[in-house]
Amino acid sequence: MTRKMISTWTVLLTFCLLVVAAPKPNFSGAWVMDRARSFGMPGNMQQTMTVTQTEDQIEVETKLIQPDNERTVKDTYIMDGKEYEFTPATAPNAPPAKGKRTANWLPNGNGIVVNEVTTTVTDKGTVTTQIARKWTLTGEGQLTIDLYIDGPNGSYETKRIFTKK
């Protein structure tokens, strides 16, 4: 091998090791939504989350709070890029849904992307919804969750900004 080839391989190997060694964000903790900076959900909704993270698994317990209703939704994201079946949360008195989900780390080390496809059988036929969730952390201890939803009623986006309790 020539010196130039050895040098090129050394640089490439070093770069690959740095990419692999990039620290993954830790979302663990109690989070409260900053209602004033969030959008795309009912105006009277408040939200809190408790996140527990171990290696490549994230457990989320979300409390959705409205004046006449409070419910808790639990979720698990397995960060290996494989597709998993899950049971999506549905509104009270809504038919049950089925879902498939994949979750991946963002390459820059500051977040995750979760892609979901849910199906619900209704009296009007099967309804399919696709959701992409992007979680990112900032240096200020802020968590931003962008949701992109494509469903039978059109496409829309929501953004929820959380601060750590």
Side-chain angles (χ1 to χ4, degrees), residues 1-152:
M1 275 191 185
T2 67
R3 286 189 186 267
K4 188 174 183 181
M5 282 184 74
I6 292 171
S7 183
T8 301
W9 280 108
T10 303
V11 169
L12 182 61
L13 180 60
T14 302
F15 176 75
C16 290
L17 290 173
L18 289 174
V19 169
V20 170
K24 295 175 182 167
N26 189 335
F27 297 102
S28 294
W31 299 89
V32 62
M33 185 175 66
D34 181 342
R35 182 71 198 134
R37 295 173 42 217
S38 300
F39 67 85
M41 72 228 46
N44 60 0
M45 178 185 284
Q46 296 295 325
Q47 187 172 334
T48 63
M49 291 191 317
T50 303
V51 180
T52 306
Q53 181 176 334
T54 56
E55 296 296 317
D56 285 342
Q57 184 166 313
I58 298 173
E59 304 276 337
V60 184
E61 182 176 293
T62 305
K63 288 190 181 181
L64 304 166
I65 306 156
Q66 292 180 286
D68 59 346
N69 182 13
E70 182 176 320
R71 63 187 177 122
T72 301
V73 177
K74 294 183 180 185
D75 256 321
T76 300
Y77 304 137
I78 301 171
M79 310 304 302
D80 63 3
K82 296 179 184 174
E83 185 175 82
Y84 292 93
E85 292 185 3
F86 74 104
T87 303
T90 57
N93 301 320
K98 293 182 180 182
K100 293 185 179 183
R101 167 186 292 154
T102 59
N104 295 292
W105 296 104
L106 289 172
N108 60 4
N110 73 340
I112 65 172
V113 173
V114 180
N115 291 297
E116 301 174 349
V117 176
T118 63
T119 56
T120 306
V121 178
T122 70
D123 55 354
K124 296 178 183 175
T126 302
V127 176
T128 301
T129 303
Q130 294 181 332
I131 300 173
R133 302 171 194 270
K134 180 180 176 188
W135 289 35
T136 53
L137 285 176
T138 64
E140 299 90 41
Q142 174 180 295
L143 167 61
T144 301
I145 302 176
D146 292 297
L147 283 89
Y148 305 95
I149 299 109
D150 290 308

